[in-house]
Amino acid sequence: SFPTRRSSDLMIWAEDDRHGIGRQQSIPWHIPDDMAFFRQTTLDHSVIMGRKTFESIGRPLPCRTNLVLTHHPEHLPSEVRGFSSYEELLASLTKTEKHFVIGGSAVYHKLMPVADELLITKVIGDFQCDVFAPVVDKQKFTLQEERPGKSVPGVPDHVFQQWIRRN
């Protein structure tokens, strides 16, 4: 994993060559290396997601504080903290803990202005996605580090990137 800086507001996602992150409400690739990176990086921190992402996962992520944006927070399991607005969510966050935005597309786009750091797995290829991540604005973020993922037969080639907001 990358040494995360003092950042408190991070985003983490995997995207294909066209910035695609999903197809038909699921992730269109299976990369064990990336799943392990995601788990190791977000463990013991808060994860922020929209309702559709929460439903696609199917359960609260263990050993993390699950924060879900939804119009109906009362429909969420008791171990999940629900928020009905971005403003309510942002007001609840502290700068002393790390928060990882984990999807989906609308949440990434809406919260990009407050992100300090982006952890992006670039999956080589076009996976015919119908949901997309924001394009990284290179005027606002700089590529801090990049390293190849494990090369495994039958698994798409991928590269891990760490982007840091410019001052």
Side-chain angles (χ1 to χ4, degrees):
S1 97
F2 292 110
T4 53
R5 300 155 36 107
R6 291 186 309 277
S7 307
S8 58
D9 298 309
L10 300 96
M11 294 190 165
I12 185 168
W13 73 76
E15 67 177 27
D16 74 2
D17 291 347
R18 296 186 317 119
H19 308 289
I21 58 173
R23 184 178 66 225
Q24 298 171 348
Q25 299 183 331
S26 67
I27 297 171
W29 49 75
H30 179 70
I31 304 174
D33 190 23
D34 181 54
M35 298 294 283
F37 173 74
F38 175 87
R39 184 179 190 283
Q40 175 186 351
T41 303
T42 61
L43 213 57
D44 299 322
H45 299 296
S46 295
V47 289
I48 298 168
M49 67 194 100
R51 176 192 53 82
K52 290 181 197 168
T53 297
F54 177 73
E55 288 176 355
S56 74
I57 294 169
R59 62 179 169 77
L61 290 173
C63 304
R64 298 167 192 89
T65 302
N66 288 252
L67 310 176
V68 177
L69 281 151
T70 174
H71 294 294
H72 301 284
E74 67 278 6
H75 295 161
L76 294 169
S78 59
E79 64 267 35
V80 172
R81 290 181 58 199
F83 298 90
S84 54
S85 73
Y86 287 101
E87 295 73 24
E88 182 189 3
L89 168 72
L90 291 171
S92 78
L93 303 179
T94 67
K95 282 290 184 189
T96 57
E97 53 187 319
K98 287 186 193 244
H99 318 284
F100 289 89
V101 176
I102 66 167
S105 179
V107 179
Y108 288 131
H109 283 87
K110 181 74 174 180
L111 294 180
M112 181 62 91
V114 300
D116 303 316
E117 187 172 332
L118 310 174
L119 301 175
I120 302 173
T121 303
K122 300 290 284 183
V123 182
I124 310 308
D126 178 349
F127 289 80
Q128 303 300 306
C129 292
D130 54 21
V131 180
F132 300 88
V135 175
V136 176
D137 182 343
K138 294 177 180 72
Q139 300 297 311
K140 295 181 180 170
F141 289 90
T142 185
L143 182 60
Q144 180 78 13
E145 191 175 336
E146 184 173 62
R147 62 178 173 77
K150 287 182 187 154
S151 185
V152 178
V155 173
D157 288 334
H158 54 286
V159 176
F160 295 101
Q161 296 181 335
Q162 178 186 36
W163 293 82
I164 305 295
R165 183 175 290 280
R166 298 175 187 265
N167 289 335

